[in-house]
């Protein structure tokens, strides 16, 4: 028997800090219900969604595709490379068009941080906006699937020790996760190259050398090096082998992790860079589970968004 949690209603999903703790936990619980087979009862016969991805994506894009189709939402296909974007159409006008066509939800990934501000301020655009990632800003749905994965594993966040390791400055995943993990009671630590770390993160946790962290934390959250967001010359001296030995989770480091500790990564994983190849699908890894959970938590997000519209 599936006991359904109290329904969450959202107008948009733009950033993780805009959600209350109750909303976050409600979305996690609802995602877990969907994973156990719960069904959605829509308010009307037909809903339309479109996934507007202006940056490359596999997991987030296709995860929303699957989530929408599982819920019975009609997906309006969009390919930026074969759209009027190539004629100079702005993001605003693309979303305006989709809204005018009757689309209910637009899931958007864009290179500009806070691209959504002008969209939600518009009096003409009526569709809900779900942020699928904005530059180096936020990635709320990834944060929620990460939280769902941790909650499945440990049942709570209070007192957990979580390490976020790697290219933190350029990672929207890291910024979303550090905020919410601290709010929910976890103890957050950081590690990785000092040049890709900012002192502003100290309000959420503390920086420590990786070899000091690996034996004590419950969750090792590894991050991809975001070369595409680096300024010219920022990667000078970078080598895969050098990074792996200095800042990566090697087989030797993983062997020192405490019993019950898990490895996470938002993916795509650069194998043998931030994470040893043999660890990606190893017993400690929850990376595949994260991808699976992404579908269910995004179903919860879409349900909440459409409830907000109703």
């Amino acid at each position: 028997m599936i006991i359904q949690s109290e329904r969450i209603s959202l107008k948009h999903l733009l950033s993780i800090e805009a959600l209350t703790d109750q909303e976050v936990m409600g979305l996690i619980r609802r995602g877990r219900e969907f994973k156990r087979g719960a069904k959605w009862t829509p308010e009307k016969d037909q809903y339309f969604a479109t996934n507007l991805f202006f940056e490359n994506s596999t997991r987030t894009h296709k995860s929303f595709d699957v989530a929408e189709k599982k819920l019975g939402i009609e997906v309006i296909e969009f390919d930026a490379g074969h759209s009027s974007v190539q004629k100079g159409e702005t993001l605003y006008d693309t979303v305006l068009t989709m809204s005018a066509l009757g689309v209910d939800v637009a899931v958007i990934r864009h290179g500009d941080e806070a691209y959504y501000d002008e969209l939600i301020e518009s009096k003409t655009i009526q569709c809900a906006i779900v942020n699928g990632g904005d530059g180096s800003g936020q990635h709320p749905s990834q944060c929620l699937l990460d939280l769902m994965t941790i909650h499945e594993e440990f049942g709570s966040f209070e007192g957990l020790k979580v390490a976020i390791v790697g290219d933190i400055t350029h990672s929207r995943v890291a910024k979303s996760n550090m905020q919410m993990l601290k709010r929910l009671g976890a103890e957050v630590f950081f590690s990785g190259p000092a040049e890709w770390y900012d002192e502003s993160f100290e309000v959420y946790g503390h920086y420590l050398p990786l070899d000091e962290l690996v034996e004590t934390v419950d969750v090792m959250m590894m991050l991809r090096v975001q070369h595409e967001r680096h300024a010219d010359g920022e990667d000078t001296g970078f080598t895969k082998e050098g990074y792996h030995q200095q800042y990566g989770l090697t087989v030797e480091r993983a062997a020192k992790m405490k019993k019950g500790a898990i490895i996470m990564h938002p993916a795509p994983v650069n194998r043998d860079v931030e994470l040893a190849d043999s660890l990606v699908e190893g017993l400690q890894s929850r990376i595949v589970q994260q991808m699976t959970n992404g579908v269910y938590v995004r179903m919860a997000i879409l349900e909440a968004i459409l409830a907000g519209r109703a």
Side-chain angles (χ1 to χ4, degrees), residues 288-308:
V288 173
Q289 186 175 331
Q290 286 175 265
M291 291 186 281
T292 299
N293 287 345
V295 172
Y296 297 109
V297 86
R298 287 173 174 125
M299 289 172 70
I301 290 166
L302 290 163
E303 180 189 55
I305 290 289
L306 293 174

Side-chain angles (χ1 to χ4, degrees), residues 126-159:
Q126 297 299 309
C127 61
I129 306 300
V130 174
N131 181 15
D134 59 306
S136 296
Q138 288 256 350
H139 198 341
S141 67
Q142 177 70 45
C143 177
L144 287 165
L145 74 87
D146 289 344
L147 294 174
M148 177 177 164
T149 304
I150 294 171
H151 196 265
E152 274 187 327
E153 191 75 26
F154 299 102
S156 174
F157 300 98
E158 193 70 38

Side-chain angles (χ1 to χ4, degrees), residues 147 150 156-162 177-178 180-189 204:
L147 294 174
I150 294 171
S156 174
F157 300 98
E158 193 70 38
L160 283 181
K161 294 183 177 181
V162 181
N177 280 339
M178 67 177 74
M180 191 50 63
L181 283 165
K182 180 176 174 61
R183 265 176 53 183
L184 294 174
E187 191 175 359
V188 180
F189 299 92
Y204 304 109

Side-chain angles (χ1 to χ4, degrees), residues 96-264:
L96 181 65
T97 299
M98 292 297 180
S99 176
L101 295 176
V103 166
D104 297 284
V105 184
V107 180
I108 304 173
R109 172 171 290 183
H110 199 275
D112 292 345
E113 288 189 31
Y115 67 79
Y116 42 75
D117 284 344
E118 70 167 345
L119 303 179
I120 63 171
E121 289 168 3
S122 169
K123 291 182 171 60
T124 312
I125 292 174
Q126 297 299 309
C127 61
I129 306 300
V130 174
N131 181 15
D134 59 306
S136 296
Q138 288 256 350
H139 198 341
S141 67
Q142 177 70 45
C143 177
L144 287 165
L145 74 87
D146 289 344
L147 294 174
M148 177 177 164
T149 304
I150 294 171
H151 196 265
E152 274 187 327
E153 191 75 26
F154 299 102
S156 174
F157 300 98
E158 193 70 38
L160 283 181
K161 294 183 177 181
V162 181
I164 301 176
V165 182
D167 186 0
I168 301 169
T169 300
H170 301 96
S171 173
R172 52 195 169 209
V173 175
K175 290 166 187 169
S176 294
N177 280 339
M178 67 177 74
Q179 293 177 20
M180 191 50 63
L181 283 165
K182 180 176 174 61
R183 265 176 53 183
L184 294 174
E187 191 175 359
V188 180
F189 299 92
F190 303 106
S191 196
E195 61 268 32
W196 297 336
Y197 179 76
D198 192 280
E199 290 183 357
S200 64
F201 302 150
E202 291 290 318
V203 297
Y204 304 109
H206 301 294
Y207 181 95
L208 288 173
L210 183 56
D211 288 310
E212 286 186 35
L213 284 176
V214 73
E215 297 179 16
T216 62
V217 298
D218 301 291
V219 181
M220 290 293 300
M221 190 175 289
M222 311 304 294
L223 302 173
R224 181 177 65 87
V225 179
Q226 309 263 319
H227 294 291
E228 70 275 16
R229 303 198 187 282
H230 292 179
D232 291 342
E234 197 171 345
D235 292 338
T236 302
F238 174 89
T239 66
K240 293 181 178 180
E241 297 79 8
Y243 185 92
H244 186 60
Q245 290 305 315
Q246 193 167 358
Y247 304 113
L249 189 59
T250 62
V251 171
E252 294 75 22
R253 285 192 178 108
K256 297 177 182 178
M257 291 173 64
K258 68 182 188 181
K259 185 178 180 180
I262 62 172
I263 299 165
M264 297 178 66

